[in-house]
């Protein structure tokens, strides 16, 4: 076998192993939400609030993620109003209320009731005595792991006291 052919085979094999390893890496919170396809409104809000880099950071984060259907339950015009630049502070407060520092899996809270502090600063009422409720929202899918935390899908947008 010629040296050129050995080099081509070695390069192709190395590239395949490198790209294979890259694609095997878990996605961060933002990329996981994007790939799910049911969080388009949440992702747009995170972008408008300037929180993408934060949620792509090391974490770990626990995110209570409202679906597009959850945002659709809000009064007409609410989402559009929150996405306006002049409402960025309010949007940041609402979004960071959906985030808890650390990685909290459903098994960690099963059978418990507690108040947890959000990144926004207000506390969230978590009731895992029979299913899981977060304030008035129901967790519909739990423990979606990302490389920098975990997502728990909720059926309503939760609001801080503000």
């Amino acid at each position: 076998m010629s040296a050129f052919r050995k080099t081509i085979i070695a390069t192709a094999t190395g590239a395949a192993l490198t790209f294979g390893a890259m694609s095997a890496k878990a996605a961060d919170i933002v990329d996981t939400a994007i790939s799910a396809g049911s969080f388009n409104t949440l992702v747009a809000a995170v972008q408008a609030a300037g929180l993408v880099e934060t949620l792509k950071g090391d974490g770990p984060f626990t995110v209570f993620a409202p679906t597009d259907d959850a945002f659709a339950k809000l009064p007409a015009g609410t989402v559009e109003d929150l996405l306006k630049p002049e409402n960025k502070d309010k949007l940041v407060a609402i979004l960071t209320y959906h985030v808890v520092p650390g990685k909290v899996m459903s098994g960690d809270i099963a059978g418990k009731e507690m108040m947890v502090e959000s990144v926004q600063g207000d506390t969230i009422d978590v009731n895992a005595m029979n299913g899981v409720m977060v304030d008035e929202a129901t967790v519909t899918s739990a423990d979606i792991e990302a490389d920098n935390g975990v997502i728990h899908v909720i059926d309503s947008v939760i609001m801080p006291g503000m």
Side-chain angles (χ1 to χ4, degrees):
M1 185 179 298
S2 74
F4 177 72
R5 185 170 176 186
K6 286 180 185 176
T7 302
I8 294 295
I9 291 171
T11 302
T13 302
L17 291 173
T18 300
F19 290 122
M22 285 171 46
S23 64
K25 181 180 180 283
D28 59 51
I29 295 281
V30 175
D31 291 338
T32 299
I34 290 169
S35 68
S38 56
F39 301 106
N40 297 322
T41 306
L42 177 61
V43 170
V46 166
Q47 291 169 337
L51 295 172
V52 172
E53 289 308 311
T54 300
L55 291 174
K56 284 180 155 291
D58 291 340
F61 306 106
T62 298
V63 177
F64 298 107
T67 61
D68 293 334
D69 289 341
F71 278 99
K73 291 179 182 180
L74 294 172
T78 301
V79 173
E80 294 78 9
D81 193 49
L82 287 170
L83 294 176
K84 292 178 181 174
E86 61 268 24
N87 294 325
K88 182 177 178 179
D89 290 344
K90 186 174 183 180
L91 180 61
V92 168
I94 292 168
L95 293 174
T96 56
Y97 183 66
H98 287 77
V99 181
V100 174
K103 184 177 180 180
V104 182
M105 304 298 285
S106 61
D108 298 333
I109 61 167
K112 300 176 184 173
E113 286 185 69
M114 66 194 75
M115 300 295 287
V116 296
E117 188 172 346
S118 70
V119 169
Q120 179 265 351
D122 287 355
T123 56
I124 302 169
D125 180 25
V126 177
N127 183 337
M129 298 299 286
N130 183 17
V132 180
M133 295 289 294
V134 181
D135 284 346
E136 300 301 316
T138 299
V139 174
T140 58
S141 183
D143 299 340
I144 301 169
E145 291 193 72
D147 68 355
N148 64 343
V150 63
I151 296 172
H152 302 294
V153 181
I154 55 176
D155 67 350
S156 301
V157 177
I158 58 176
M159 296 289 189
M162 299 165 70

